[in-house]
């Protein structure tokens, strides 16, 4: 948010119309995300009619529909179009707190630690959309040759946005042939320095991305495109350059996140940044205000800036580049540089001992209003702790007593106590402003009339040091009177539970949380007077793990005028508000609602499923590895609640349900019943128990749906048993779902299915899942494939039933006829496809088979499919092919055995691929491959690609349960 707009709001914090005007100014200048955040702060303001507020929100949405993912709550609110949110799981034996309903399982936390999966998922929805954010490159070359190579790599970029290069250095590299379409400006100053600060501040005032590059670095041709795409969906990602590992047989590319190793997987990822080699948005550069000019070198100054970005809630994500070295200068090796970094970066890996440092490790914040009576006792309880590495930050919320004078008189010369004088804005406003003063890694909360017990700060800070996945830890508390006499221990729920927190506040004083985690929430609400803390800790619990330290470390003063003891009715209504808002953030409000069973006890609440809310329990859940289930359920997601769970969980859910007819159990694969079974007899027992449970579920009023993905499971261990179970399932279920009507006779050749139970819902496309912006030419260059090659691709896990060995045999024949033929196998190898060939491959044959025998990242899929001419899926056992739909989405003609679903999708004309007779084996496949190459020679490939893409675009997922 712009500084002057923040100042306007702070000057009149209780006037919601000031925020409306601020929102209008922000949207006028294109700051749509900040506009949304400002309007969120007045959602409960009584002075603003809801229809007026709705009008402003609609105005923003009309201009800005894409949204940004700056905090995890943004991700849960801006679900990816066409993709069901990550599924909640119903654990059959899960125990919940009293009054918490079974079925209200909570979703996975998005963005915990440095986990960036939610950014990747959201950016995939951009597809092939052009991104053209302005890019400013701040470059500090190590020598003239490094400058030449870097600028040449910028010239090779396929990025469509405006690019400017700012060359920093005491000596301009005169005479270099730095010819480029990018604008180059030379600055005869070093980074970091006072002289460069103003130049960087100017860049930060504009919209866009700033890239810092130093030493000897070279970009590949889509580096800027990849950076801009991430920046377009989030300001909170620091994209740090990492050299690509040396080439291997597995074709590692800059898109190979998992194959290239877990970069930035440690708890403090800012320590792994390779000097001044990273990119960030101008919004974040404005917030951290550039480099600290007390450093003389680029390496430690960059790491210190990245610490501040980390503390502001940023994530760190690698950007792999072909070349990066010499990013440390001689100044960086001076001991004083490391010492200064330790002074400014209070993480436990660089600061091993307690003491007084330039930036403290722990910040205790105190919101204060007319607090002169007790605030000295509160502050002194911090300063008297057995830990020196701390500070106290006080926000005086427009006190009318002598609070400000007292602070100045007693702590004016104490550098560990800092404060700000504000107009009165309420507890939420004062809390946010107090935390904005903090600099520490950890933030502790202390009310102005309370006290910390000795050892409190060290105890909780040590726990956070040792448990880097915990975002908040808290102690228990005792109550004292005005004279500090002990009254009693306060209520204490022994173990943290997200479910219990949804029922009532259990995060007791003393609370300490990571500053980074606070930044990943919307902070404290400023438009309510109570339930403010409860609301905040509900938000924080959605960011990461909590832990209760069962020790009394806090004294809460009880004097009759505590916020929680006055305005009880308002406290209750606001409590209900924030609980309902938590449901909405978690995406549960379409199906669940807050319920007060006894009106005389309004604080004792529970949750209940909304009337006529249909629920589907599906099994097995393989959505983490395959997007199919999330795509399948997306069309029903607004009307039907989906959760993963066994038939036992479904039975527990339907017990006592007032509407059992609204419950569905959806079965996907039967082979999961056999997993872990020690022999066929044990497998049969498991199947019998499963069928009995299905009958119980149906007798209770539920409905059974079975999707038949294959006639028999791939590589079935007990085929005869599976046929028997499949026949009995067909009799037992209410609905049999198939993706193609042409699959019916293929299934009935093995077991009968009642025609009245059949429901056909075609297999849709994978367009919402995989990015697609790398051109075919660039894709081939990344994979070292020549332009003249005729490329056949098999992608996916390499297993026996997929017929890859037969494909290799067929390819040998094609290669003998066409030396430009190339076979690419991209996927994890579970069974060696070369082991059963008729004769071993010759060296020449093997050189024309590229193998990326590893998991292919979602971002990388586009390389393999865009580099290929044809996809080939020679499955021996197939009913439905998701791989076919994936290939068509990339405009890739496909070769498959002639089965019903493939025939229905591709038709019989062969204008988007070919079907071959699987019964004739290798000969028929070879003929199909030969025909595809011939069509390419005749100039027909382009038309096939267009037709393939059109088929994918028209293949929509259709509702199954709400239709």
């Amino acid at each position: 948010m712009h500084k002057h707009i923040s100042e306007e709001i702070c000057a009149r914090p209780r006037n919601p119309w000031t925020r409306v005007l601020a929102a209008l100014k922000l949207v006028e200048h294109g700051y749509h995300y900040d506009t949304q955040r400002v309007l969120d702060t007045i959602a409960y303001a009584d002075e603003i009619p809801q229809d007026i507020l709705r009008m402003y929100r609609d105005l923003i949405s009309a201009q800005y529909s894409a949204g940004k993912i700056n905090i995890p709550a943004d991700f849960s609110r801006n679900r990816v179009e066409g993709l069901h949110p990550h599924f909640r799981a119903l654990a059959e034996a899960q125990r919940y707190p009293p009054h918490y309903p079974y079925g209200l399982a909570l979703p996975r936390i998005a963005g915990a630690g440095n986990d960036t999966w939610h950014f990747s998922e959201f950016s995939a929805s951009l597809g092939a959309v052009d991104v053209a954010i302005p890019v400013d490159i701040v470059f500090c070359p190590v020598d003239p040759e490094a400058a030449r190579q870097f600028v040449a790599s910028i010239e090779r970029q396929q990025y469509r946005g405006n690019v400017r290069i700012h060359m920093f250095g005491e000596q301009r590299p005169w005479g270099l042939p730095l010819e480029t379409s990018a604008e180059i400006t030379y600055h005869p100053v070093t980074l970091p320095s006072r002289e460069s600060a103003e130049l960087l501040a100017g860049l930060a005032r504009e919209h866009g991305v700033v890239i810092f590059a130093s030493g000897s670095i070279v970009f590949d041709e889509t580096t800027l495109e990849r950076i801009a795409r991430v920046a377009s969906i989030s300001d909170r990602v620091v994209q740090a350059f990492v050299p690509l590992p040396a080439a291997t047989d597995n074709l590692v590319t800059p898109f190979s996140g998992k194959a290239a190793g877990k970069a930035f997987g440690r708890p403090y990822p800012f320590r792994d940044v390779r000097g001044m080699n990273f990119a960030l948005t101008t919004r974040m550069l404005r917030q951290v205000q550039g480099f600290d000019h007390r450093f003389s070198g680029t390496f430690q100054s960059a790491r210190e800036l990245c610490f501040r970005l980390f503390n502001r809630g940023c994530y760190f994500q690698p950007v792999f580049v072909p070349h990066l070295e010499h990013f440390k200068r001689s100044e960086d090796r001076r001991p004083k540089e490391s010492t200064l970094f330790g002074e400014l970066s209070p993480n436990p890996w660089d600061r091993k001992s307690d003491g007084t440092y330039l930036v403290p490790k722990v910040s205790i914040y105190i919101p204060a209003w007319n607090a002169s009576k007790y605030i000295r006792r509160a502050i002194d309880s911090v300063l008297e702790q057995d830990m020196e590495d701390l500070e106290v930050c006080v926000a005086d919320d427009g006190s009318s007593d002598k609070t400000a004078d007292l602070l100045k008189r007693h702590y004016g010369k104490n550098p560990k106590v800092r404060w700000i004088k504000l107009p009165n804005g309420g507890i939420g406003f004062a809390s946010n402003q107090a935390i904005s003063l903090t600099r520490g890694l950890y933030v502790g909360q202390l009310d102005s009339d309370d006290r910390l017990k000795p050892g409190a700060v060290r105890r909780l800070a040590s726990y956070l040091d040792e448990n880097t996945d915990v975002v908040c830890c808290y102690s228990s508390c005792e109550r004292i009177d005005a004279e500090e006499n002990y009254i009693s221990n306060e209520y204490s729920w022994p173990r943290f539970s997200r479910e219990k927190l949804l029922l009532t506040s259990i995060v007791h004083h003393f609370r300490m949380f990571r500053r980074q985690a606070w930044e990943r929430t919307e902070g404290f609400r400023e438009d309510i007077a109570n339930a403010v803390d409860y609301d905040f800790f509900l938000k924080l619990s959605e960011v990461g793990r909590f832990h209760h330290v069962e020790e009394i470390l806090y004294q809460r003063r009880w004097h009759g005028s505590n916020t929680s003891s006055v305005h009880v009715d308002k406290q209750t209504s606001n409590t209900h508000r924030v609980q309902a808002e938590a449901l909405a953030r978690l995406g549960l409000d379409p199906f669940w609602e807050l319920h007060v069973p006894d009106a005389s006890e309004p604080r004792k609440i529970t949750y209940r499923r909304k009337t006529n809310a249909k629920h589907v329990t599906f099994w097995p859940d393989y959505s983490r590895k395959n997007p199919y289930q999330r795509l399948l359920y997306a069309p029903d997601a607004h009307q039907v609640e989906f959760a993963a769970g066994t038939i036992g969980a479904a039975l527990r859910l339907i017990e006592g349900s007032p509407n059992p007819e609204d419950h569905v159990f959806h079965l996907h694969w039967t082979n999961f019943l056999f997993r872990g079974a020690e022999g066929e007899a044990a497998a049969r027992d498991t199947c019998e128990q499963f069928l009995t449970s299905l009958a119980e579920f149906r007798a209770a009023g539920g409905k059974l749906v079975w999707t038949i993905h294959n006639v028999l499971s791939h590589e079935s261990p007990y085929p005869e048993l599976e046929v028997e179970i499949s026949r009995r399932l067909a009799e037992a279920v209410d609905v049999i779902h198939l993706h193609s009507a042409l699959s019916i006779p293929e299934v009935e050749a093995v077991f009968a299915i009642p025609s009245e139970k059949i429901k056909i819902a075609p297999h849709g496309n994978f367009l919402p899942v995989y990015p697609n912006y790398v051109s075919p030419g660039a894709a081939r260059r990344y994979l070292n494939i020549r332009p003249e090659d005729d490329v056949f691709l098999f992608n996916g896990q390499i297993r026996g039933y997929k017929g890859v060995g037969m494909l290799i045999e067929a390819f040998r024949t094609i290669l003998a006829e066409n030396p430009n033929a190339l076979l690419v196998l991209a996927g994890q190898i579970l069974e060696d496809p070369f082991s059963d060939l008729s004769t071993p491959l010759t060296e020449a044959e093997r050189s024309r088979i590229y193998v990326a025998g590893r998991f292919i990242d979602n971002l990388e899929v586009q390389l393999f499919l865009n580099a290929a001419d044809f996809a080939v899926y020679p499955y021996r056992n197939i009913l439905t092919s998701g791989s076919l739909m994936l290939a068509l989405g990339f405009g890739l003609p496909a070769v498959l055995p002639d089965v019903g679903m493939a025939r229905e999708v591709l038709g019989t004309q062969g204008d988007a691929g070919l079907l071959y007779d699987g019964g004739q084996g290798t000969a028929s496949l070879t003929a199909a491959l030969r025909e595809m190459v011939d069509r390419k020679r005749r100039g027909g490939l382009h038309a096939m690609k267009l037709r393939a893409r059109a088929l994918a675009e028209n293949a929509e997922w259709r509702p199954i349960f709400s239709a």
Side-chain angles (χ1 to χ4, degrees):
M1 190 184 305
H2 275 190
K3 183 178 179 182
H4 71 273
I5 291 178
S6 297
E7 291 172 349
E8 289 177 8
I9 292 174
C10 289
R12 291 176 292 278
R14 287 198 182 273
N15 186 344
W17 291 105
T18 299
R19 302 185 187 227
V20 171
L21 293 175
L24 291 175
K25 290 180 182 178
L26 287 167
V27 77
E28 181 182 347
H29 290 90
Y31 293 96
H32 300 92
Y33 181 84
D34 293 314
T35 306
Q36 292 173 319
R37 293 294 296 270
V38 169
L39 293 180
D40 286 340
T41 67
I42 53 175
Y44 295 159
D46 296 331
E47 301 91 333
I48 306 288
Q50 286 299 308
D51 56 342
I52 298 294
L53 194 60
R54 194 177 303 112
M55 179 187 71
Y56 286 123
R57 290 188 183 279
D58 291 344
L59 175 65
I60 299 168
S61 299
Q63 300 183 52
Y64 184 63
S65 57
K68 275 202 171 188
I69 306 301
N70 282 340
I71 60 176
D74 295 331
F75 176 74
S76 61
R77 282 192 288 257
N78 291 282
R79 56 164 294 180
V80 177
E81 188 66 31
L83 193 64
H84 193 286
H86 284 268
F87 296 110
R88 299 174 298 114
L90 299 177
E92 185 176 344
Q94 178 71 47
R95 297 182 63 184
Y96 290 115
H99 310 299
Y100 191 88
Y102 183 78
L104 188 58
L106 299 181
R108 171 189 179 189
I109 291 175
N114 199 47
D115 192 346
T116 60
W117 62 266
H118 58 306
F119 296 118
S120 300
E121 184 170 295
F122 195 75
S123 64
S125 65
L126 294 176
V129 174
D130 284 342
V131 175
I133 301 172
V135 174
D136 283 286
I137 301 174
V138 176
F139 184 41
C140 304
V142 67
D143 55 40
E145 179 59 20
R148 186 192 65 77
Q149 291 182 0
F150 178 72
V151 172
S153 74
I154 297 300
E155 185 63 22
R156 291 193 297 270
Q157 297 296 305
Q158 298 184 8
Y159 185 60
R160 294 179 176 85
N162 184 50
V163 179
R164 299 184 300 187
I165 300 175
H166 306 268
M167 196 84 73
F168 279 71
E170 292 180 344
Q171 293 182 345
R172 172 176 170 170
W174 301 103
L176 283 175
L178 300 179
E179 297 181 2
T180 175
S181 58
E183 174 188 338
I184 299 183
T185 305
Y186 296 94
H187 304 282
V189 297
T190 59
L191 274 176
S193 65
R194 293 181 184 274
E195 295 78 11
S196 64
E198 186 175 344
L199 295 170
L200 294 183
L203 297 182
R205 284 192 288 269
E206 302 180 22
H207 283 292
V209 177
V210 177
I211 294 175
F212 294 98
S214 66
S216 178
I217 183 172
V218 174
F219 287 175
D220 61 84
E221 61 188 285
T222 65
T223 299
L224 294 187
E225 177 78 20
R226 301 199 308 274
I227 290 171
R229 284 181 167 265
V230 173
S232 70
I233 60 113
S234 181
D235 295 303
R236 290 285 178 89
V237 182
V238 177
Q239 302 180 70
F241 301 124
V242 176
L244 193 67
T248 68
D249 292 338
N250 273 337
L251 300 171
V252 176
T253 74
F255 297 78
S256 311
K258 289 185 175 62
K262 180 70 174 175
F264 304 109
R266 297 195 294 178
Y268 304 105
F270 58 88
R271 301 183 76 258
D272 296 326
V273 173
R274 289 162 170 80
M276 206 169 284
N277 287 289
F278 56 89
L280 72 162
T281 64
T282 53
R283 185 176 192 266
M284 290 311 302
L285 185 58
R286 282 195 301 274
Q287 288 192 17
V288 296
Q289 299 180 351
F291 299 96
D292 191 317
H293 56 76
R294 286 174 289 187
F295 289 97
S296 57
T298 57
F299 183 77
Q300 296 290 13
S301 63
R303 292 175 76 201
E304 188 277 331
L305 178 76
C306 287
F307 162 72
R308 282 181 276 141
L309 289 164
F310 170 86
N311 229 23
R312 286 294 186 112
C314 284
Y315 296 82
F316 288 73
Q317 189 167 287
V319 177
F320 294 102
V321 294
H323 177 76
L324 173 60
E325 61 181 1
H326 306 309
F327 47 81
K328 282 189 177 183
R329 300 194 313 216
S330 59
E331 295 93 332
D332 295 312
R333 295 176 172 82
R334 296 172 183 170
K336 70 174 185 179
E337 294 284 290
S338 296
T339 301
L340 181 58
F341 176 71
E343 285 272 349
L344 298 174
S345 173
N347 70 88
W349 290 8
D350 291 291
R351 188 178 294 178
K352 301 296 186 182
S353 60
D354 189 24
T356 299
Y357 298 91
L358 293 174
V359 173
K361 181 177 184 177
V362 178
S363 300
I364 305 298
Y365 81 92
I366 303 176
W369 178 73
N370 289 347
S372 59
K373 186 174 181 180
Y374 298 113
I375 195 167
R376 279 192 63 194
R377 303 183 201 183
I379 294 173
D380 289 346
S381 75
V382 179
L383 300 178
E384 292 165 2
Q385 292 287 308
D386 62 344
M387 181 174 175
E388 295 180 41
D389 198 1
L390 50 73
E391 68 177 351
V392 181
C393 298
V394 183
D396 181 358
D397 187 30
S399 296
S400 57
D401 67 357
K402 300 297 184 181
T403 298
D405 293 339
L406 183 149
L407 292 171
K408 184 176 182 180
R409 183 166 65 254
H410 291 280
Y411 305 105
K413 295 183 179 180
N414 190 331
K416 292 188 176 183
V417 181
R418 302 161 58 232
W419 67 88
I420 183 173
K421 176 72 173 176
L422 302 165
N424 180 257
I427 183 65
F429 172 71
S431 296
N432 286 329
Q433 294 301 312
I435 293 178
S436 71
L437 287 177
T438 63
R439 299 169 295 165
L441 191 67
Y442 309 140
V443 177
Q445 183 188 55
L446 176 61
D447 288 347
S448 61
D449 46 3
D450 297 341
R451 287 178 56 83
L452 297 182
K453 298 197 76 172
V457 173
R458 182 181 294 276
R459 178 71 180 92
L460 296 192
S462 297
Y463 189 88
L464 292 175
D465 282 348
E466 296 162 6
N467 298 274
T468 53
D469 63 325
V470 172
V471 300
C472 176
C473 62
Y474 60 98
S475 72
S476 296
C477 172
E478 67 185 21
R479 187 174 294 185
I480 59 175
D481 63 18
E483 284 72 39
E484 299 183 13
N485 298 308
Y486 172 83
I487 299 176
S488 64
N489 290 350
E490 290 218 335
Y491 164 81
S492 179
W493 185 263
R495 186 172 182 177
F496 178 78
S497 158
R498 289 178 71 193
E499 293 79 11
K500 182 64 177 179
L501 184 61
L502 270 175
L503 296 172
T504 187
S505 179
I506 58 168
V507 183
H508 326 296
H509 294 289
F510 170 47
R511 303 142 174 170
M512 186 177 289
F513 47 87
R514 299 183 189 275
R515 171 68 190 271
Q516 173 203 57
W518 180 79
E519 294 280 0
R520 292 178 178 179
T521 72
E522 294 162 318
F524 291 87
R525 288 216 72 94
E526 300 182 8
D527 51 358
I528 55 177
N530 35 35
V532 175
D533 281 357
Y534 182 35
D535 170 70
F536 168 68
F537 287 106
L538 279 168
K539 294 171 182 172
L540 197 65
S541 71
E542 299 157 16
V543 173
R545 194 163 72 86
F546 278 40
H547 178 75
H548 180 204
V549 175
E550 289 193 76
E551 300 174 25
I552 296 177
L553 301 177
Y554 192 95
Q555 293 179 320
R556 189 173 181 218
R557 196 180 305 274
W558 196 255
H559 44 68
S561 58
N562 303 72
T563 303
S564 58
S565 66
V566 296
H567 307 299
V568 175
D569 291 343
K570 200 69 173 176
Q571 175 85 12
T572 299
S573 63
N574 283 335
T575 296
H576 292 173
R577 271 179 167 178
V578 303
Q579 288 167 327
E581 197 172 68
L583 275 186
R585 281 195 307 272
L586 296 169
L588 300 171
D589 58 321
F591 311 106
W592 291 85
E593 62 187 0
L594 185 142
H595 175 53
V596 180
D598 185 350
S600 66
E601 296 185 280
R603 298 293 289 276
K604 293 184 178 180
I605 65 103
T606 184
Y607 299 89
R608 66 183 177 188
R609 195 182 305 279
K610 291 182 177 179
T611 305
N612 299 323
K614 184 176 287 188
H615 183 279
V616 174
T617 305
F618 68 93
W619 184 84
D621 175 17
Y622 48 91
S623 59
R624 293 284 184 92
K625 295 182 179 180
N626 189 323
Y628 167 83
Q629 288 172 317
R630 297 182 61 203
L631 290 163
L632 176 71
Y633 295 139
D636 291 302
H638 292 293
Q639 294 83 28
V640 182
E641 181 185 22
F642 294 91
T646 62
I647 184 60
L651 279 168
R652 183 176 171 186
L653 189 65
I654 204 173
E655 289 176 4
S657 171
N659 305 103
E661 68 278 3
D662 290 333
H663 291 267
V664 178
F665 181 74
H666 186 194
L667 172 65
H668 284 275
W669 289 92
T670 56
N671 66 311
F672 279 68
L673 292 168
F674 310 138
R675 290 192 171 183
E678 297 181 359
E680 187 171 351
R684 180 173 293 276
D685 287 344
T686 299
C687 290
E688 291 295 339
Q689 293 171 15
F690 181 72
L691 289 168
T692 299
S693 296
L694 290 181
E696 291 176 7
F697 182 81
R698 197 178 187 205
K703 189 176 182 180
L704 301 174
V705 177
W706 178 26
T707 293
I708 301 180
H709 295 282
N710 214 354
V711 180
L712 287 180
S713 304
H714 303 308
E715 304 162 327
S716 176
Y718 310 111
E720 293 183 3
L721 175 60
E722 189 166 357
V723 170
E724 177 189 339
I725 297 304
S726 296
R727 176 183 56 77
R728 293 170 65 183
L729 275 171
E731 297 172 355
V733 302
D734 298 281
V735 175
I736 296 173
H737 166 229
L738 293 166
H739 283 304
S740 171
L742 297 182
S743 297
I744 295 174
E746 297 169 3
V747 175
E748 290 193 319
V750 181
F751 57 88
I753 50 176
S755 59
E756 69 275 8
K757 295 183 178 182
I758 296 174
K759 182 180 181 66
I760 304 298
H763 197 302
N765 60 55
F766 287 90
L767 298 180
V769 180
Y770 297 100
N772 184 11
Y773 55 84
V774 177
S775 68
R780 290 197 169 200
R781 287 189 289 273
Y782 278 117
L783 299 177
N784 298 317
I785 295 174
R786 302 176 307 178
E788 64 269 24
D789 285 337
D790 299 317
V791 183
F792 299 94
L793 169 70
F794 175 89
N795 59 290
Q797 286 186 341
I798 298 175
R799 300 169 61 180
Y801 77 87
K802 294 191 175 184
V804 179
M806 183 174 69
L807 171 59
I808 294 172
E809 293 282 16
F811 174 74
R812 300 172 82 169
T813 302
I814 300 300
L815 181 62
E817 303 167 356
N818 173 16
N820 286 333
L822 180 72
L823 175 62
V824 177
L825 306 178
Q828 188 177 9
I829 300 176
L830 300 182
E831 296 180 35
D832 184 2
F834 301 102
S835 60
D836 295 326
L837 300 180
S838 57
T839 59
L841 292 171
T842 66
E843 184 175 341
E845 289 174 327
R846 186 63 183 84
S847 69
R848 299 300 293 167
I849 301 176
Y850 286 4
V851 180
R854 56 176 172 78
F855 175 84
I856 307 299
D857 287 85
N858 283 8
L859 182 64
E860 193 179 30
V861 166
Q862 61 184 315
L863 295 188
F864 291 93
L865 275 83
N866 285 330
D869 292 306
F870 322 101
V872 188
Y873 304 111
Y875 300 152
R876 296 171 181 164
N877 179 11
I878 178 177
L879 188 70
T880 301
S881 177
S883 297
L884 167 62
M885 303 310 300
L886 174 62
L888 295 179
F890 282 85
L892 190 60
V895 176
L896 289 92
D898 187 358
V899 296
M901 179 264 187
R903 194 181 322 123
E904 183 173 70
V905 172
L906 292 178
T908 58
Q909 302 303 311
D911 53 358
L914 287 179
L915 303 177
Y916 67 92
D917 185 347
Q920 294 186 18
T922 305
S924 182
L925 174 60
T926 303
L929 300 185
R930 184 181 293 116
E931 172 63 17
M932 294 296 269
V933 175
D934 288 344
R935 290 191 183 189
K936 180 182 177 182
R937 294 285 180 270
R938 297 195 299 268
L941 181 59
H942 180 67
M944 292 183 74
K945 285 179 172 288
L946 292 177
R947 176 59 179 162
R949 175 70 185 194
L951 288 176
E953 291 174 348
N954 291 328
E956 297 181 352
W957 297 89
R958 299 177 186 172
I960 299 174
F961 299 95
S962 61

